[in-house]
């Protein structure tokens, strides 16, 4: 098999391709031949050694994949060679073959091609978890999405629209804002050039109901101040690199709420609840309520270059690696 290996923490350019024997399935496991593997911001944090969970090198990054079962281990029921499956792993997806516990696999709906399915789980489960579990959104509410041209941002737009909300998308470039409009955002804010707080409040008629923030940095406080009475801020991540320090008087004023969103840790702790949530996402895709976009497709060997594009904000939407 071929796999990407992080030999030491550092920039993504240090990732290498290694060849080794194909893995074997133990009891309760299957081997999946990977068709596509998703690329996410958290992968860059693992590689840099800056994620809150520090994995000692060497390791293979990647947390989501789609492929076909090629080996079934002893004691596995309900899976057969040739089954098309997806899985969300902590690590290891950037490989041509991966050993996966049978219980961590989900059948891929026929309507989803490999690339779309491989880019779906982390972004869409994060957005669905945010807007149905952490800060449930009601029909007619307004949702301001920061980083709206990224994978989580586009998914948040799609999910908010599916739940009946009106979406204001904020992003750093006209191309990303165009992607956000194509996903269903009714209005946009170019937050590198416009006053985010003033423009969002104007578009929402006085204040937004919900902010989805996977970006952090200097825009978070302005987004908090854009909230109206009983507004809710969902803190998802810090793609900008800086963790903002928020004035808590702005949380107190107008009875605002700040909610942390860590879908990944929750999903690992509560497998049955995550299975239910993923089922809801896949059902919404199947019946046309959600419309996951087609990601950028790149060869597995270009993993480092793709992560660099992601870190430097050149990547629009999601990307997948194809072995």
């Amino acid at each position: 098999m071929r796999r990407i290996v992080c030999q030491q923490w550092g920039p993504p350019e240090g990732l290498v391709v290694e060849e080794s024997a194909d893995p074997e399935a133990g009891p309760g496991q299957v081997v999946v031949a990977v068709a596509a593997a998703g690329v996410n911001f958290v992968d860059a944090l693992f590689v840099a050694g800056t994620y809150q969970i520090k994995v000692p090198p060497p390791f293979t990054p990647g947390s989501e994949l789609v492929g076909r079962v090629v080996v079934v281990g002893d004691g596995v029921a309900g899976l057969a060679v040739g089954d098309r499956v997806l899985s969300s792993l902590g690590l290891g997806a950037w490989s041509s073959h991966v050993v996966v516990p049978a219980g961590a696999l989900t059948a891929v709906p026929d309507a989803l091609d490999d690339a779309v399915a491989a880019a779906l789980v982390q972004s869409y489960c994060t957005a669905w978890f945010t807007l149905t579990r952490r800060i449930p959104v009601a029909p007619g509410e307004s949702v301001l999405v920061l980083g709206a041209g990224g994978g989580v941002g586009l998914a948040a737009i799609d999910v908010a629209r599916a739940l009946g909300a009106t979406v204001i998308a904020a992003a750093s470039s006209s191309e990303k804002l165009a992607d956000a409009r194509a996903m269903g955002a009714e209005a946009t804010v170019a937050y590198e050039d416009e006053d985010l707080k003033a423009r969002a409040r104007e578009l929402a008629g006085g204040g937004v109901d919900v902010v989805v923030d996977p970006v952090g940095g200097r825009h978070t406080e302005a987004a908090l101040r854009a909230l109206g009475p009983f507004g809710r801020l969902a803190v998802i991540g810090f793609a900008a690199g800086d963790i903002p320090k928020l004035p808590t008087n702005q949380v107190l004023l107008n009875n605002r709420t700040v909610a942390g969103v860590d879908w990944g840790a929750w999903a690992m702790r509560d497998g049955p609840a995550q299975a239910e949530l993923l089922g809801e996402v896949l059902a919404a895709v199947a019946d046309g309520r959600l419309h996951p976009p087609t990601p950028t497709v790149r060869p597995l060997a270009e993993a480092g270059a793709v992560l660099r594009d992601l870190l430097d904000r050149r990547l629009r939407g999601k990307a997948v690696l194809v072995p």
Side-chain angles (χ1 to χ4, degrees):
M1 70 175 183
R2 301 174 70 239
R3 64 188 183 115
I4 299 296
V5 176
C6 174
Q7 296 177 323
Q8 60 184 15
W9 292 327
E13 289 79 6
L15 294 172
V16 298
V17 180
E18 289 190 357
E19 301 272 354
S20 61
D22 290 350
E24 298 181 358
Q29 298 176 330
V30 303
V31 177
V32 176
V34 178
V39 178
N40 296 285
F41 184 73
V42 69
D43 299 319
L45 300 182
F46 273 120
V47 169
T50 56
Y51 191 56
Q52 55 259 39
I53 301 171
K54 289 180 169 52
V55 179
F59 63 87
T60 293
S63 61
E64 54 186 352
L65 62 88
V66 166
R68 291 192 181 274
V69 174
V70 292
V71 180
V72 177
D74 292 340
V76 173
L79 287 168
V81 171
D83 285 352
R84 188 162 166 259
V85 292
L86 63 81
S87 187
S88 182
L89 309 171
L91 290 167
W94 293 358
S95 180
S96 63
H97 295 78
V98 177
V99 176
V100 184
L105 294 170
T106 301
V108 180
D110 292 339
L112 287 178
D113 68 23
D114 290 336
V116 172
L120 172 76
V121 174
Q122 186 158 326
S123 295
Y124 271 82
C125 284
T126 296
W128 196 266
F129 179 65
T130 301
L131 297 175
T132 67
R133 270 49 167 195
R134 296 297 290 124
I135 49 170
V137 169
E141 288 193 305
S142 56
V143 177
L144 171 63
V145 178
L146 307 188
V152 172
L154 291 172
I157 294 170
D158 201 14
V159 169
R161 290 279 292 160
L163 297 172
T166 299
V167 178
I168 302 167
S172 60
S173 70
S174 58
E175 293 83 4
K176 291 178 180 179
L177 291 175
D179 292 343
R181 281 193 177 276
M183 185 56 78
E186 284 87 353
T188 59
V189 181
Y191 53 33
E192 300 298 339
D193 304 313
E194 298 181 87
D195 184 321
L196 175 62
K197 181 192 98 170
R199 183 62 176 146
R201 291 181 69 87
E202 176 188 0
L203 290 168
V208 298
D209 296 303
V210 170
V211 171
V212 175
D213 181 12
V215 178
R218 64 188 180 87
H219 297 304
T220 301
E221 182 176 337
L224 173 65
R225 292 174 181 270
L227 289 169
F230 295 93
R232 294 98 75 199
L233 166 64
V235 178
I236 296 178
F238 312 105
D242 296 325
I243 299 174
K245 294 178 172 61
L246 297 178
T248 53
N249 66 312
Q250 288 297 319
V251 180
L252 181 150
L253 293 171
N254 292 311
N255 296 292
R256 293 163 172 151
T257 298
V258 177
V261 179
D262 190 347
W263 163 76
W266 169 83
M268 286 190 288
R269 284 195 304 267
D270 196 339
Q274 164 57 18
E276 179 182 0
L277 184 140
L278 178 57
E280 293 172 10
V281 170
L282 293 177
V285 172
D287 66 20
R289 285 178 291 148
L290 293 179
H291 316 86
T294 300
T296 299
V297 177
R298 302 274 287 274
L300 181 67
E302 295 182 10
V306 175
L307 276 190
R308 175 54 61 196
D309 287 344
L310 176 62
L311 290 170
D312 292 346
R313 300 188 185 184
R314 291 189 294 268
L315 185 65
R316 292 162 59 185
K318 289 287 293 283
V320 298
L321 300 172
V322 176

